[in-house]
Amino acid sequence: MADLSVKVAGVDFKNPVIPASGVFGYGREYEEFYSLSRLGGIATKGTTGTLRTGNLPPRIAETPMGMLNSVGLQNPGIDHFISCELPNLMKKDTVIIANIAGSTPEECAEVAAKLDSTDVHMIELNISCPNVKHGGAAFGVSCEGAASVTKVVRNATRKPLIVKLSPNVTDIASIAKAVEAEGADSVSLINTLLGMRIDINTRRPVLRNNCGGMSGPAVFPIAVRMVWQVANAVKIPVIGMGGISSGRDAIEMMMAGASAVQVGAAVITDPFAPVKIIDEMNQFLDEKGIKSVSEIIGAVKPW
């Protein structure tokens, strides 16, 4: 059996597979199916300074190769997360990544500062959610905006800081370099692509928010391309995500340059997807005689 352990921003992961923020909640529903200790890590539901109820329904719709969502960062707020969810998560023998967001850089910094005194292993700063009217992707679509929010959050916490990037930009590599310059320890990408579907009978958008974030297998080639571009532009580790639904997808993403991977939409259709991906990665590495998954990071040979 191959060695699946990886290190990201100084943090040791037993394997590189992490359920992505927004699809796994706080893990309570999934631990009815398998031990969360099997996972490399867990990226928790995006957490803001105070409770958010999210956008009005309908806010999730299936597409032929994925899904659209406009949940809008529904969450109970950072104080509830620290007092009611984090203590349970910290018992699960896996890396806990607290995903945070806010309407302003100051709100993001306030949330990060509260987490700084906890035992959480890493913080993932979401500057890329397309489904909120304030903050979210607005921070992540320019180098200046991404750098400024990264700087204030960096100054608020000593925890390893991951910055989650938006694909809804013209040059994601430049934005990755901008957040690296302001102290990000890692970047994760891609968040969802902005999309829209219309009910042709009612002539209404299928989502109440009109537009939403597209994820799932349809976005995988775009995600691989962006991970490859960013991995070649920065020195900090890259966490790849976007349409991963099999062990072979995860291997491909790591060959593009990802040090670890997050699994999003696949968890919605199959709760067992993350553990299946771990097993499939192990099988592939054994079949190829590869002793460590670290050997395949950035192993692509471009023409």
Side-chain angles (χ1 to χ4, degrees):
M1 184 174 291
D3 177 8
L4 288 182
S5 64
V6 294
K7 184 184 287 283
V8 179
V11 177
D12 293 317
F13 290 71
K14 66 182 69 174
N15 66 66
V17 179
I18 307 161
S21 175
V23 300
F24 208 69
Y26 306 109
R28 292 185 184 275
E29 296 81 2
Y30 294 88
E31 63 184 344
E32 297 177 8
F33 300 110
Y34 49 83
S35 170
L36 300 186
S37 66
R38 294 193 61 189
L39 303 170
I42 297 171
T44 63
K45 175 67 182 156
T47 302
T48 52
T50 56
L51 177 150
R52 288 197 188 192
T53 56
N55 295 323
L56 293 173
R59 54 189 193 179
I60 292 180
E62 287 191 73
T63 73
M65 286 286 285
M67 70 173 188
L68 280 172
N69 92 84
S70 63
V71 173
L73 291 177
Q74 177 185 358
N75 78 93
I78 186 63
D79 292 336
H80 177 94
F81 172 73
I82 290 174
S83 63
C84 299
E85 301 294 347
L86 189 56
N88 180 56
L89 285 165
M90 296 307 299
K91 299 175 184 174
K92 303 306 176 185
D93 189 26
T94 188
V95 174
I96 302 302
I97 303 170
N99 183 286
I100 68 169
S103 298
T104 64
E106 290 72 25
E107 182 183 355
C108 296
E110 178 187 352
V111 175
K114 288 187 175 182
L115 287 165
D116 198 54
S117 59
T118 72
D119 293 328
V120 75
H121 300 105
M122 308 179 83
I123 293 174
E124 182 179 54
L125 171 62
N126 181 1
I127 60 169
S128 48
C129 179
N131 299 318
V132 292
K133 290 182 171 58
H134 304 289
F139 295 140
V141 295
S142 71
C143 291
E144 294 77 12
S148 64
V149 67
T150 300
K151 183 177 182 179
V152 298
V153 172
R154 175 72 288 167
N155 290 335
T157 179
R158 295 162 294 177
K159 299 286 186 184
L161 178 62
I162 307 163
V163 179
K164 188 171 182 177
L165 303 181
S166 171
N168 301 299
V169 297
T170 54
D171 184 2
I172 196 170
S174 293
I175 293 174
K177 291 171 69 174
V179 303
E180 178 184 37
E182 292 298 344
D185 298 301
S186 173
V187 288
S188 57
L189 60 142
I190 59 174
N191 206 326
T192 55
L193 287 145
L194 197 60
M196 182 180 188
R197 293 293 302 273
I198 297 169
D199 184 328
I200 60 173
N201 293 310
T202 64
R203 303 185 182 188
R204 293 276 196 186
V206 298
L207 297 179
R208 183 65 176 265
N209 198 47
N210 296 323
C211 298
M214 175 71 188
S215 60
V219 310
F220 181 66
I222 300 168
V224 172
R225 184 263 295 179
M226 288 189 165
V227 165
W228 177 64
Q229 289 179 319
V230 168
N232 282 283
V234 299
K235 294 182 174 62
I236 54 178
V238 175
I239 299 174
M241 75 187 90
I244 294 172
S245 56
S246 70
R248 299 186 76 87
D249 289 346
I251 294 284
E252 186 175 338
M253 190 68 87
M254 294 187 73
M255 286 185 174
S259 296
V261 297
Q262 292 189 13
V263 181
V267 177
I268 302 296
T269 54
D270 182 2
F272 290 92
V275 292
K276 288 181 178 176
I277 289 170
I278 294 168
D279 292 342
E280 290 166 5
M281 292 180 76
N282 228 328
Q283 182 180 356
F284 175 87
L285 295 172
D286 286 347
E287 289 174 354
K288 299 296 183 183
I290 300 170
K291 295 182 179 178
S292 170
V293 73
S294 295
E295 296 178 32
I296 67 168
I297 298 172
V300 62
K301 299 175 181 177
W303 296 102

